[in-house]
């Protein structure tokens, strides 16, 4: 490398069962890393690459000459100065756009998203569906609040369990499909149990 060449910077960020962490990456991009999530970054003069290994993260991308990409489950999200979220779930990768524009490449297809849209890509690549992004819920988790609308109880418990060492389990699997709507403070399992008992018996 010649004099003045930029040195590649690699870092790994991980979070445990705690509230989301606010971090500034080496290029000035602001990242909110959710509980139980891991990302690695590789920045150099040619590109800025973030790999979401698990969990969920939001990126407010700093303007720079080098392209900014997030890789998650074989999918590539390309940014052009934007605020977006990527979630790697057991059965899908979900990309939600809050502001700006992104392009998502999955398989041989590339799709552009508009603000307040989300793209859900099945983990096996069998489907990719664009829908409306619940912006209230998308903005709430970064503040430590979880907003659910008609969420299956088993899915709701799995998400709440990310924020606490106290894991809630279903004693009766027939309750798994019960649909729950509400707002809950991440990590407050006792309040969740009280709310479920009061609202759904």
């Amino acid at each position: 490398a010649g004099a003045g060449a930029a040195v590649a910077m690699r870092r790994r960020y991980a979070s445990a069962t705690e509230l989301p962490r606010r971090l500034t990456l080496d290029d000035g991009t602001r990242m909110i890393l959710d509980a139980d999530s891991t990302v690695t970054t590789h920045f150099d003069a040619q590109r800025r690459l973030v790999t979401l290994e698990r969990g969920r993260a939001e990126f407010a991308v700093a303007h720079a000459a080098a392209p900014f990409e997030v890789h998650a489950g074989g999918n590539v999200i390309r940014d052009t100065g934007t605020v977006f979220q990527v979630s790697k779930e057991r059965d899908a990768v979900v990309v939600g756009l809050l502001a700006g524009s992104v392009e998502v490449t999955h398989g041989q297809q590339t799709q552009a998203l508009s603000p307040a849209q989300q793209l859900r890509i099945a983990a096996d690549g069998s489907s990719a569906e664009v829908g409306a992004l619940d912006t209230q819920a998308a903005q709430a988790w970064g503040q430590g609040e979880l907003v659910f609308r008609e969420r299956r109880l088993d899915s709701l418990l799995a998400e709440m369990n990310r924020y606490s060492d106290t894991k809630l389990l279903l004693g009766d699997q027939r309750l798994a499909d019960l649909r729950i709507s509400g707002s809950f403070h991440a990590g407050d399992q006792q309040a969740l149990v009280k709310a479920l008992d009061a609202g759904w018996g």
Side-chain angles (χ1 to χ4, degrees):
V7 175
M9 303 180 98
R10 292 181 176 86
R11 299 192 193 280
R12 191 163 196 262
Y13 302 87
S15 61
T17 52
E18 56 195 23
L19 293 181
R21 297 170 59 199
R22 294 176 178 270
L23 304 160
T24 300
L25 303 182
D26 292 316
D27 67 334
T29 290
R30 297 188 309 278
M31 178 177 71
I32 304 176
L33 187 64
D34 204 0
D36 193 24
S37 301
T38 305
V39 303
T40 57
T41 63
H42 179 185
F43 292 172
D44 59 29
Q46 282 70 47
R47 68 173 183 167
R48 298 172 289 164
L49 172 62
V50 177
T51 301
L52 178 65
E53 298 176 17
R54 65 184 178 129
R56 174 167 58 181
E58 176 178 302
F59 304 94
V61 180
H63 290 280
F68 187 96
E69 291 184 357
V70 177
H71 292 196
N75 307 288
V76 180
I77 302 96
R78 292 183 185 84
D79 165 77
T80 54
T82 250
V83 180
F84 67 101
Q85 299 178 350
V86 184
S87 177
K88 189 175 181 185
E89 302 171 0
R90 180 179 51 81
D91 58 346
V93 168
V94 181
V95 182
L97 181 61
L98 292 165
S101 61
V102 293
E103 288 186 346
V104 183
T105 300
H106 49 95
Q108 302 300 312
Q109 188 174 5
T110 297
Q111 287 181 263
L113 293 182
S114 299
Q117 282 188 326
Q118 72 173 19
L119 175 64
R120 184 181 185 86
I121 307 161
D124 62 3
S126 62
S127 65
E129 298 177 357
V130 175
L133 174 67
D134 185 337
T135 54
Q136 182 185 1
Q139 292 168 335
W141 70 260
Q143 309 296 325
E145 297 294 325
L146 302 179
V147 177
F148 301 103
R149 301 189 203 284
E150 293 295 308
R151 179 72 72 89
R152 283 175 55 104
L153 180 57
D154 56 355
S155 174
L156 184 152
L157 292 180
E159 184 157 350
M160 285 292 288
N161 282 343
R162 294 171 61 178
Y163 301 90
S164 175
D165 292 328
T166 301
K167 307 302 182 188
L168 299 178
L169 303 173
L170 281 177
D172 183 346
Q173 287 302 315
R174 291 174 297 180
L175 298 174
D177 194 42
L178 188 66
R179 302 291 168 152
I180 307 294
S181 296
S183 178
F184 305 96
H185 185 65
D188 193 344
Q189 303 291 66
Q190 190 171 6
L192 172 63
V193 170
K194 286 182 180 176
L196 291 174
D197 187 47
W200 290 270

